[in-house]
Amino acid sequence: MDTGLRQPESGTDGGLGQTPESGTDNGLGQTPDGGADSGPHRPESGTDTGLRGPDGGVASGPRLPRQVRRGTGTGTAKSGPGPHPGGLLQAALGVVAFSLTFPATAWGLEGFGPWSLVAARSALAAVIAGGCLLALRVPLPARAHWAGLAVVGAGVVIGFPLLTTLALRTSTTAHAAVVVGLLPLTTAAFSALRVGTRPSRTFWVAALAGAAAVIAFTVQQSGGALTGADAYLFGALLICAAGYTEGGRLAGVMPGWQVIGWALVLCLPLSLPGALLALSYEPVHPTVHAVLGVLWVAAGSQFLGLVVWYRGMAAVGIPRASQLQLAQPLLTLVWSVLLLGEHLTPAAPLTAAAVLVCIAVTQRARV
């Protein structure tokens, strides 16, 4: 029976069934020939709405931002660096792990020689890191990253542990904390040279003030006397700052745990034979303290601590993350009291308050 309606010639009805030829609008607007429009109007700008055009084809035009298409964002790019609570937390956890390094090293020296301790910690950490890389089938880094990984390995896997361990043979943990007191400032300076960051004047003033407070406190703790270990400590300061800076840069292009993981594996051909050789020459007395000290500096300081540290540096930036280390000497002194029986002076709370103020300023300053 003829109802007065015609079938659409294109075969596409826009999901409305049979399309009226004319007269009835259905609230969708008239087509150019006066008939009823069978679907929403095609945007004049050509933006892809995901709808079919009148000819059955997909409407052409520029694609929407991925965040909008997935419904996970507004398509607005970040306007600049803002607070990163997660990054700050990870960097802070790294500082806590590092603050235990000197007391754990002092424990380790109770039963191992300095060369055995350094080589063993690097070899054990490399085994842990290598196992994680193999288990997760992580591909090899790009060739362009190997030079940077070598700097990380030389700085934080071999150089800093070796030089500070040699210094701790004759230096107290309080005196060795001078290195950590200067490390944030040195790392920020290396970052300015290597990565091109340009912190504000407020940042540098707060960083210098915090470093001065830490140096004054740690020197006062050690009686103001400088020892032959200072050469080791200042050498460790420079090489570690270079390793931190390069690791923070690489953590921006690859996961932080892979940065330290591959750096440890890269040093394994040196650390493993070195450990076997040193253990055969230096006396070993594996007490409970000595074993726990080696295990912590290997798994905690050398691997897990650096994993969260590099992730935090990648999130908040090298200069800002480095200033969290102003608190590390004070934490180290707390651990030295609890674990080694050393004594603190009444100046500790005042220095802690001054350092916390400097940290707060650096975290809010423009970087």
Side-chain angles (χ1 to χ4, degrees):
M1 179 177 64
D2 187 0
T3 61
L5 298 176
R6 296 182 182 178
Q7 296 294 334
E9 296 179 0
S10 64
T12 303
D13 60 5
L16 298 176
Q18 292 177 326
T19 305
E21 178 181 343
S22 63
T24 304
D25 183 356
N26 290 333
L28 297 176
Q30 297 291 332
T31 58
D33 61 353
D37 189 356
S38 60
H41 285 292
R42 185 172 176 176
E44 295 180 2
S45 62
T47 303
D48 181 5
T49 63
L51 300 175
R52 297 282 179 177
D55 60 351
V58 178
S60 60
R63 296 176 63 83
L64 292 175
R66 181 177 299 175
Q67 294 89 340
V68 176
R69 297 199 307 271
R70 292 182 178 178
T72 58
T74 62
T76 303
K78 292 182 179 180
S79 58
H84 298 272
L88 289 175
L89 176 61
Q90 291 182 91
L93 289 176
V95 170
V96 173
F98 300 154
S99 69
L100 282 162
T101 300
F102 287 170
T105 300
W107 273 11
L109 288 173
E110 294 178 6
F112 297 90
W115 296 93
S116 300
L117 177 58
V118 173
R121 69 180 276 183
S122 299
L124 288 175
V127 170
I128 297 173
C132 294
L133 292 170
L134 286 175
L136 297 176
R137 299 180 179 180
V138 177
L140 290 173
R143 182 179 301 178
H145 299 330
W146 283 108
L149 291 172
V151 174
V152 175
V156 303
V157 176
I158 296 178
F160 185 80
L162 176 60
L163 294 175
T164 54
T165 300
L166 292 174
L168 285 173
R169 292 183 304 168
T170 57
S171 174
T172 64
T173 56
H175 187 76
V178 173
V179 175
V180 181
L182 290 173
L183 190 55
L185 178 62
T186 311
T187 303
F190 268 80
S191 174
L193 295 174
R194 177 68 177 91
V195 186
T197 56
R198 294 292 183 268
S200 63
R201 182 177 300 179
T202 301
F203 178 93
W204 286 116
V205 170
L208 288 169
V214 170
I215 292 172
F217 176 59
T218 50
V219 170
Q220 186 271 336
Q221 282 289 109
S222 61
L226 299 178
T227 67
D230 290 325
Y232 291 130
L233 295 174
F234 284 108
L237 167 71
L238 295 176
I239 196 170
C240 187
Y244 277 173
T245 300
E246 196 65 22
R249 184 188 70 82
L250 289 174
V253 297
M254 59 193 300
W257 76 272
Q258 293 183 23
V259 173
I260 185 59
W262 286 116
L264 286 165
V265 171
L266 185 63
C267 295
L268 188 59
L270 295 176
S271 60
L272 184 57
L276 296 176
L277 182 62
L279 289 171
S280 65
Y281 279 91
E282 291 181 332
V284 176
H285 305 286
T287 63
V288 174
H289 276 184
V291 173
L292 288 177
V294 171
L295 291 177
W296 175 256
V297 293
S301 303
Q302 194 79 74
F303 182 60
L304 296 178
L306 285 169
V307 167
V308 294
W309 175 244
Y310 282 137
R311 286 175 60 90
M313 292 182 86
V316 303
I318 297 172
R320 182 173 280 117
S322 68
Q323 297 313 301
L324 292 176
Q325 282 196 300
L326 288 171
Q328 183 173 328
L330 304 177
L331 292 173
T332 297
L333 292 170
V334 171
W335 296 125
S336 69
V337 171
L338 298 177
L339 301 177
L340 303 177
E342 297 183 3
H343 299 284
L344 294 180
T345 65
L350 296 177
T351 307
V355 167
L356 290 177
V357 170
C358 293
I359 291 176
V361 174
T362 60
Q363 297 310 303
R364 300 178 69 89
R366 180 177 59 84
V367 177

